[in-house]
């Protein structure tokens, strides 16, 4: 079936990250910017009408974006399936409640199944915090 509108899109809300995993360019360089709100509004107005699924993912931690929860609100009203990838640092009770209410699929990025390995790869994230988020 051919359509002129995408039904599944990926949006990279930010390239900022709140950690420095040794496997990532953020470990070697400090960088990152949020998607400008004007660009998001353009995407929302031109591309979301027929979208069935959106993945908020990319090189950064999506939950750091100032307009992330506005993005969720816009999509919730249209019945779009939502997904985001997170390193878990910002998955506190308040944010989890919002994400669960929006029925967002949360993909938790985890490197290592025990504290020693995890901390060697992600030295700025406490393994126990990730376990709590899980």
């Amino acid at each position: 079936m051919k359509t002129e509108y995408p039904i599944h899109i990926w949006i990279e809300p930010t390239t900022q990250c709140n950690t420095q995993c040794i496997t990532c360019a953020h470990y070697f360089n400090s960088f990152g910017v949020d998607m400008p709100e004007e660009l998001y509004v353009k995407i929302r107005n031109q591309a979301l009408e027929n979208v069935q699924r959106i993945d908020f993912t990319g090189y950064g931690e999506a939950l750091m974006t100032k307009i992330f929860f506005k993005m969720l609100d816009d999509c919730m009203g249209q019945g779009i399936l939502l997904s985001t990838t997170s390193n878990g640092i910002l998955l506190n009770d308040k944010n989890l409640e919002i994400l669960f209410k929006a029925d967002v699929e949360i993909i938790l990025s985890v490197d290592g199944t025990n504290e020693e390995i995890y901390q060697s790869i992600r030295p700025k994230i406490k393994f126990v915090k990730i376990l709590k988020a899980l």
Side-chain angles (χ1 to χ4, degrees):
M1 180 173 151
K2 193 172 181 180
T3 179
E4 60 184 275
Y5 297 102
I7 60 170
H8 184 174
I9 63 175
W10 289 261
I11 295 177
E12 183 174 34
T14 190
T15 55
Q16 292 187 77
C17 191
N18 50 0
T19 191
Q20 291 179 300
C21 305
I22 66 169
T23 56
C24 179
H26 283 283
Y27 181 76
F28 302 100
N29 297 300
S30 178
F31 66 91
V33 295
D34 286 350
M35 172 187 284
E37 188 168 2
E38 300 78 30
L39 176 57
Y40 166 69
V41 168
K42 188 174 184 178
I43 293 168
R44 182 193 67 203
N45 293 343
Q46 295 181 8
L48 294 191
E49 185 176 332
N50 295 303
V51 168
Q52 297 171 12
R53 180 180 176 95
I54 295 176
D55 293 323
F56 294 105
T57 191
Y59 217 163
E61 173 60 39
L63 293 171
M64 289 182 69
T65 311
K66 290 176 181 66
I67 63 167
F68 181 75
F69 292 104
K70 178 185 179 356
M71 293 174 168
L72 289 185
D73 284 343
D74 289 346
C75 297
M76 282 175 51
Q78 297 188 38
I80 298 170
L81 297 172
L82 304 172
S83 171
T84 192
T85 302
S86 176
N87 60 30
I89 290 175
L90 299 175
L91 291 178
N92 57 40
D93 290 342
K94 178 184 174 191
N95 288 342
L96 284 169
E97 183 177 337
I98 294 167
L99 292 167
F100 290 153
K101 182 178 178 187
D103 200 24
V104 175
E105 175 186 57
I106 303 167
I107 300 163
L108 191 58
S109 177
V110 178
D111 289 313
T113 57
N114 66 47
E115 187 170 9
E116 180 183 0
I117 293 171
Y118 189 88
Q119 296 296 159
S120 71
I121 297 169
R122 296 182 175 210
K124 289 193 172 188
I125 307 175
K126 296 295 182 203
F127 186 67
V128 294
K129 179 161 176 49
I130 300 309
L131 292 178
K132 183 178 186 254
L134 284 170

